[in-house]
Amino acid sequence: MPEPRPLIFQLYTTYQRAGRLVARALEGTGIRPEDAALYSVLDRHGPLTPSALADRLGVGPSTLTYRLKALEAAGILVRRPNPDDGRSSLVELSPDGQRRWLATIPAFSEALRRAERRVELPQDEVAAALEAVAGAIDAELEASK
């Protein structure tokens, strides 16, 4: 009997498939698949510091800095001084970025929900399992610093 694939590898290949689904759902919107989560987090949680945004997205600071600069240059994001900490800034969607995202949400969300409805397990159990795996990965990353 062959050994099962490691769980993290299965998660990675699932992530790749999810990326293809997100790309297809965003076709023609002008929003890049790698930026969709960024739009979503900023839309839901308002202005955030870059470090808080990186944490919510699960990306490294340098990756986020590169993406923020590109979106800021395109007029999608605005950056302003953080009134609570003069050393940092807050980023948020510009009015144009907000308009683009709001126009995209209905079709984008429906495309993702169609796939989710195909999952033959309770959604809350799947979400809890994914959170558990994410927590284990975070713990391993921290331990291996």
Side-chain angles (χ1 to χ4, degrees), residues 63-80:
T63 299
L64 184 65
T65 297
Y66 171 78
R67 290 167 61 191
L68 290 178
K69 283 182 181 180
L71 291 170
E72 191 174 6
I76 301 300
L77 294 179
V78 292
R79 184 185 303 257
R80 59 183 167 84

Side-chain angles (χ1 to χ4, degrees), residues 40-126:
S40 180
V41 168
L42 288 176
D43 178 52
R44 287 176 180 240
H45 301 286
L48 292 170
T49 63
S51 59
L53 182 57
D55 187 53
R56 286 186 182 263
L57 294 172
V59 299
S62 62
T63 299
L64 184 65
T65 297
Y66 171 78
R67 290 167 61 191
L68 290 178
K69 283 182 181 180
L71 291 170
E72 191 174 6
I76 301 300
L77 294 179
V78 292
R79 184 185 303 257
R80 59 183 167 84
N82 184 346
D84 298 329
D85 177 1
R87 297 169 296 161
S88 72
S89 61
L90 296 173
V91 293
E92 62 187 318
L93 292 173
S94 68
D96 184 48
Q98 186 75 28
R99 180 191 54 73
R100 285 182 184 206
W101 183 243
L102 291 176
T104 300
I105 289 174
F108 177 69
S109 295
E110 181 52 30
L112 301 185
R113 297 287 181 253
R114 281 194 307 269
E116 290 174 359
R117 286 192 291 268
R118 294 176 185 271
V119 176
E120 296 178 357
L121 298 169
Q123 296 285 312
D124 59 337
E125 289 179 24
V126 174

